[in-house]
Amino acid sequence: MKTRFWISASVLALVAAPPATAQDQAAPAEHAAASEATVIDDIVVTARRREESLQSVPVSITAVSAAALEQMGVRSTDDLQRALPGVNVSGQRRDDASFYVRGQGPGIFSFGQRNFTSVATYFAEVPALVSGPGVFFDLGNVQILKGPQGTLFGRNTTGGAVLFEPQRPTQEIGGYAKVSAGNYDYRELEAVLNLPVVPDILSIRLAGNVARRDGFTTSVISGQKLDGRDYQAYRASVLFTPAPGFENLTIVDGRTKEQSGTSAVLRQINPDVPLGAAFAPYLAQQQALGIRKTLLPIPLHDHQSGFGITNKTSWDVSDAITLKNIVSFRRNRVDQASDFDGTPINTFLIQNVPAGRRWQIGQDQFTEEFQVQGKAESIGLNYILGFYHETTKPGFPQEVRQSLFGNVSVRDLGYRDESNALFAHAEIELNDQFQLSGGFRYTWDKREASIGVFNLAGQCTQQVPQGSGNILCPFAASGKFKAPSYNVTLQYTPTDRVLVFGSYRRGYKSGGLNLPSPAPEFTSFDPEYVDSFELGLKADWNIGMPLRTNMSVFLDKYEDIQISQPVVIPGVAITSLVQNVGKATNKGFEFEATAKPAEWLSLGGFVSYLDAHSDVTVPGTAAVKGRQTAFQPRWKYGLNGRVELPASDTLGTLSLSADYSWQSVVNTNETDDRFVTTYPSYGLLGARIELADVASSGIDLALFGSNLTNKKYILGGFPLTSSLGFEAAYYGEPRMYGVSARVRFGN
């Protein structure tokens, strides 16, 4: 409570501080010189589909620059959440964890079907399955947009969007090569080459990243080291500008993973459930082993291959009209052997693919987006008109082999999703201080899916409906969903350093299908809707030093909210069942601050609060009135600082940076039984020491570490419920440390 009191007091003090005024501008010359020497760098964002200053956009955005990503040692989504207020990461597999923003998360988890998430991830403006290692290299920045999105972005979401923006080719020769090494036999190589082939017309940028690291969790039965890292990724970008006002950018990217699987550590049981009672001896054994050893009986693996090609063409037809087209194709393939209970008992196992097959599941995604961007300067109007299309399918016949309590089943899974939308967005200057903006989108979604469950002899064993005795393979279902979404924002800029805005947004997320389904009434679920209200303030202050504060308060009212919970379907699988559970309310605030007391010192921090709960109790579902949504901490805060010490030309520039983040306890489920379990609160400390440009040679040396206090904390897993009878978790990384050397050349 004392910590929260001091944070609140600090926030009030910062808000009460006056912004820069004309009197500040008339300060003595030495004060002005100091202000010029100590400025806070701005970040260019693309939240409104064009490049703008972060501080000038009336949208709640947390943007993390490339330099900040490196200073904090961000190499995966698990690392990224440390720097983000109002954002959390959780899931059932390491490196495949999904984002939660303001209480909204990934949605359905059914293996082999596409997930319509509440928080979409984008790579180079295209929806993409980007998470985990192999993404966080040669990025321009990462932007997290809070609240419903859709009138300006390809995919409709009710929670937010995470934008990964890769570095673009430039017209200058340059690049670098970086080698890193650390504990757990960590090795990593990263290299970038930027080359103008034809000056001012054609340039290319090549980037690659390869990493290996041993696992830090060991199975005492199989001897395998789990939670390892083994991937390689590449990116090639070609920028073609044959004439003024015309630009064509093509990005080809890919990643492969051949690493050990995710550990599962048995954490607690429900002795009133037969399976929980059977696990009791193993729980005692696991507790004696600790969290870095597990009882998983067989080797597990995580093999994935991803490829994408994106082409963005922009043509300035005139000073007032720009045409933009974004077309992309992305392919992803997965083969995972997973065991989720952390015991030697064969409870729920996803097995290896059979001989002759390489992959279990896949996703082929094609998108096409066309925009008309225009402006009418005489009336202060900017607008965007657009069309979006997306088609997604597996790309090959999927087959997933699962073992449920020793019974092996073969699941053939198919799907095809199509989404089309028309959208429009406009901004108009009412006067020098007020701007009104708004957007409208209409979306048409069509979803198809099928499932067939067979035994190893190829005989259909799938009862449809469950328990009826009717055997049918495949069972197919489909659904069509459509809805408008819209928003309006009023912004006020009393000075060029202060922006105040208020917004209302109506969001929509597609309905979908539960396959397999425990009963006919659960085969499909309806769309989700949200009415979102937000007030925000972005300001740069002068309090004797530059200070930037961004804050927002929000209230989100959900209708037919989609809640996912694990269920057991006898003879078929453990799967995630999605249901619409009435109304829910998410509300809270977020505050970020950056200060630069001196040219050599930078300080930053954030705090966020979230109250996310169902407004009704729905028996038999994961919805209890007033209970905090699963995996969502009420409180998060973080602090960071960087010191650059004066040094000679011979030595180079010495910098020290450190960051600390903390989040409160989270619920693991929202069921109405007595087994409401939690993950404990935790705080993580990281640090980095860097010696840059040693002897003006372009060589940078660094020593870095994360989780320096070796905190034991949980990232995700299977929560304890009355149907499963057990809870297994996977834990965050232990203390990691290492060194790196980078050689830079050119510009």
Side-chain angles (χ1 to χ4, degrees):
M1 293 301 296
K2 290 183 178 180
T3 301
R4 295 177 186 173
F5 171 80
W6 285 114
I7 291 174
S8 301
S10 300
V11 169
L12 290 174
L14 293 175
V15 173
T21 63
Q23 185 176 358
D24 295 324
Q25 297 172 1
E30 61 270 17
H31 180 77
S35 298
E36 291 177 3
T38 55
V39 296
I40 298 175
D41 295 333
D42 208 347
I43 298 178
V44 175
V45 297
T46 54
R48 297 197 290 187
R49 307 310 293 273
R50 64 179 188 272
E51 293 186 348
E52 298 178 279
S53 162
L54 171 66
Q55 294 303 101
S56 66
V57 182
V59 178
S60 288
I61 308 171
T62 296
V64 187
S65 67
L69 291 171
E70 183 172 33
Q71 290 166 18
M72 297 186 66
V74 173
R75 309 307 288 175
S76 69
T77 52
D78 299 339
D79 298 329
L80 184 61
Q81 71 169 334
R82 305 199 315 262
L84 306 174
V87 178
N88 201 36
V89 171
S90 188
Q92 295 170 348
R93 293 182 182 88
R94 193 177 306 277
D95 295 346
D96 288 340
S98 299
F99 288 99
Y100 290 78
V101 176
R102 293 183 174 178
Q104 284 293 284
I108 190 170
F109 283 108
S110 289
F111 198 58
Q113 292 186 36
R114 184 174 172 227
N115 174 23
F116 265 49
T117 177
S118 299
V119 181
T121 53
Y122 292 79
F123 180 80
E125 299 187 82
V126 172
L129 292 173
V130 287
S131 66
V135 177
F136 294 86
F137 70 100
D138 200 35
L139 290 176
N141 58 56
V142 179
Q143 306 167 38
I144 294 83
L145 281 60
K146 317 289 183 65
Q149 308 295 324
T151 59
L152 272 170
F153 279 88
R155 184 176 296 170
N156 247 24
T157 59
T158 51
V162 181
L163 316 181
F164 294 87
E165 287 296 323
Q167 293 279 12
R168 290 163 51 92
T170 67
Q171 296 299 325
E172 298 176 312
I173 297 176
Y176 65 86
K178 183 173 74 170
V179 178
S180 304
N183 60 335
Y184 293 95
D185 200 20
Y186 162 64
R187 303 96 72 201
E188 183 171 359
L189 172 64
E190 181 178 327
V192 172
L193 172 64
N194 192 94
L195 185 65
V197 180
V198 181
D200 300 324
I201 295 179
L202 181 66
S203 58
I204 63 174
R205 188 177 184 93
L206 306 175
N209 183 220
V210 179
R212 306 284 187 270
R213 190 190 67 197
D214 288 347
F216 50 80
T217 308
T218 302
S219 169
V220 298
I221 297 177
S222 71
Q224 184 187 24
K225 294 181 179 180
L226 296 157
D227 305 316
R229 186 166 291 175
D230 186 343
Y231 70 87
Q232 41 274 329
Y234 65 87
R235 197 176 300 152
S237 304
V238 180
L239 179 62
F240 181 49
T241 54
F246 184 89
E247 177 182 288
N248 183 274
L249 175 63
T250 301
I251 303 172
V252 179
D253 66 277
R255 180 185 68 165
T256 59
K257 292 201 300 183
E258 299 284 340
Q259 58 195 38
S260 58
T262 299
S263 64
V265 176
L266 185 64
R267 186 166 175 254
Q268 52 189 336
I269 62 171
N270 178 352
D272 297 334
V273 176
L275 182 59
F279 281 176
Y282 301 113
L283 178 61
Q285 188 177 354
Q286 180 64 70
Q287 291 173 339
L289 290 172
I291 67 168
R292 302 303 180 195
K293 294 182 180 180
T294 181
L295 298 168
L296 291 171
I298 63 172
L300 307 178
H301 64 258
D302 179 7
H303 298 167
Q304 296 189 38
S305 175
F307 168 81
I309 181 168
T310 303
N311 181 269
K312 300 195 287 186
T313 302
S314 178
W315 178 30
D316 295 335
V317 179
S318 68
D319 291 340
I321 299 292
T322 297
L323 303 182
K324 187 174 183 179
N325 192 76
I326 306 173
V327 60
S328 77
F329 174 77
R330 302 199 66 85
R331 170 174 291 173
N332 197 62
R333 300 289 185 262
V334 176
D335 171 32
Q336 293 175 329
S338 305
D339 193 338
F340 297 100
D341 57 53
T343 75
I345 297 179
N346 187 348
T347 308
F348 176 39
L349 171 68
I350 295 180
Q351 294 187 324
N352 300 334
V353 294
R357 292 182 64 94
R358 177 68 180 89
W359 306 108
Q360 298 164 321
I361 64 172
Q363 177 174 302
D364 286 1
Q365 174 188 279
F366 171 79
T367 67
E368 161 63 28
E369 181 174 355
F370 179 74
Q371 302 174 13
V372 179
Q373 300 186 7
K375 58 185 177 182
E377 293 184 351
S378 60
I379 58 174
L381 175 67
N382 288 281
Y383 64 87
I384 298 178
L385 306 175
F387 164 75
Y388 178 76
H389 168 80
E390 178 180 301
T391 300
T392 309
K393 53 187 178 181
F396 69 100
Q398 299 183 121
E399 180 182 302
V400 178
R401 298 194 169 206
Q402 294 186 349
S403 178
L404 185 65
F405 305 113
N407 298 315
V408 178
S409 64
V410 179
R411 301 206 305 171
D412 290 350
L413 302 161
Y415 68 90
R416 188 180 190 278
D417 292 320
E418 182 176 314
S419 183
N420 294 285
L422 295 172
F423 60 90
H425 175 84
E427 306 152 19
I428 187 167
E429 304 290 341
L430 302 179
N431 57 37
D432 291 342
Q433 294 182 320
F434 286 92
Q435 182 194 80
L436 184 66
S437 60
F440 182 85
R441 172 194 178 107
Y442 206 95
T443 305
W444 296 266
D445 291 316
K446 182 179 180 180
R447 309 195 67 181
E448 301 172 354
S450 64
I451 182 173
V453 182
F454 304 84
N455 61 22
L456 292 177
Q459 299 171 321
C460 177
T461 61
Q462 177 173 260
Q463 295 184 10
V464 181
Q466 280 292 317
S468 68
N470 299 320
I471 306 298
L472 176 65
C473 288
F475 174 71
S478 62
K480 293 183 178 180
F481 313 96
K482 59 182 180 179
S485 52
Y486 40 87
N487 63 69
V488 61
T489 300
L490 179 64
Q491 74 175 61
Y492 170 54
T493 52
T495 75
D496 60 358
R497 298 190 183 188
V498 177
L499 168 65
V500 182
F501 66 91
S503 66
Y504 163 73
R505 287 174 285 186
R506 173 72 171 181
Y508 151 83
K509 185 174 75 170
S510 172
L513 306 168
N514 287 311
L515 295 183
S517 170
E521 62 268 26
F522 296 126
T523 299
S524 65
F525 53 93
D526 294 329
E528 173 182 290
Y529 304 93
V530 60
D531 292 301
S532 177
F533 305 87
E534 183 172 12
L535 293 174
L537 168 68
K538 297 182 177 184
D540 286 342
W541 314 85
N542 190 333
I543 57 172
M545 65 177 178
L547 172 67
R548 174 170 295 161
T549 60
N550 292 346
M551 61 178 5
S552 64
V553 293
F554 61 90
L555 172 66
D556 297 339
K557 303 291 290 186
Y558 287 87
E559 302 171 21
D560 294 325
I561 192 168
Q562 299 167 2
I563 297 292
S564 175
Q565 63 178 342
V567 296
V568 177
I569 301 178
V572 179
I574 296 177
T575 188
S576 290
L577 178 68
V578 179
Q579 300 176 72
N580 301 97
V581 294
K583 299 181 179 180
T585 299
N586 294 356
K587 60 180 181 290
F589 72 85
E590 297 156 359
F591 175 81
E592 299 176 79
T594 303
K596 200 166 178 63
E599 186 178 3
W600 50 270
L601 176 62
S602 300
L603 301 173
F606 68 82
V607 61
S608 63
Y609 171 79
L610 173 68
D611 177 7
H613 62 265
S614 175
D615 294 337
V616 295
T617 296
V618 183
T621 72
V624 178
K625 183 177 182 179
R627 183 172 295 162
Q628 183 82 346
T629 300
F631 308 115
Q632 300 302 286
R634 288 187 180 271
W635 288 95
K636 283 190 70 175
Y637 71 81
L639 302 168
N640 62 81
R642 177 179 172 83
V643 175
E644 291 189 6
L645 301 177
S648 65
D649 293 338
T650 302
L651 181 62
T653 301
L654 181 64
S655 63
L656 296 86
S657 58
D659 62 271
Y660 178 81
S661 63
W662 179 90
Q663 69 175 47
S664 61
V665 64
V666 301
N667 292 331
T668 61
N669 65 67
E670 300 142 88
T671 56
D672 55 358
D673 58 26
R674 66 186 180 91
F675 294 98
V676 181
T677 61
T678 61
Y679 292 162
S681 62
Y682 64 87
L684 299 176
L685 174 66
R688 178 183 179 89
I689 302 174
E690 182 176 18
L691 186 60
D693 200 19
V694 178
S696 301
S697 62
I699 297 177
D700 306 326
L701 305 176
L703 171 67
F704 53 86
S706 61
N707 190 12
L708 293 178
T709 62
N710 206 24
K711 183 69 176 179
K712 299 175 181 179
Y713 63 102
I714 301 174
L715 284 174
F718 266 91
L720 177 67
T721 64
S722 56
S723 59
L724 292 180
F726 71 90
E727 177 189 323
Y730 72 89
Y731 285 77
E733 295 179 348
R735 180 188 296 115
M736 295 289 181
Y737 54 84
V739 295
S740 68
R742 177 173 57 185
V743 179
R744 294 178 283 109
F745 63 91
N747 212 338

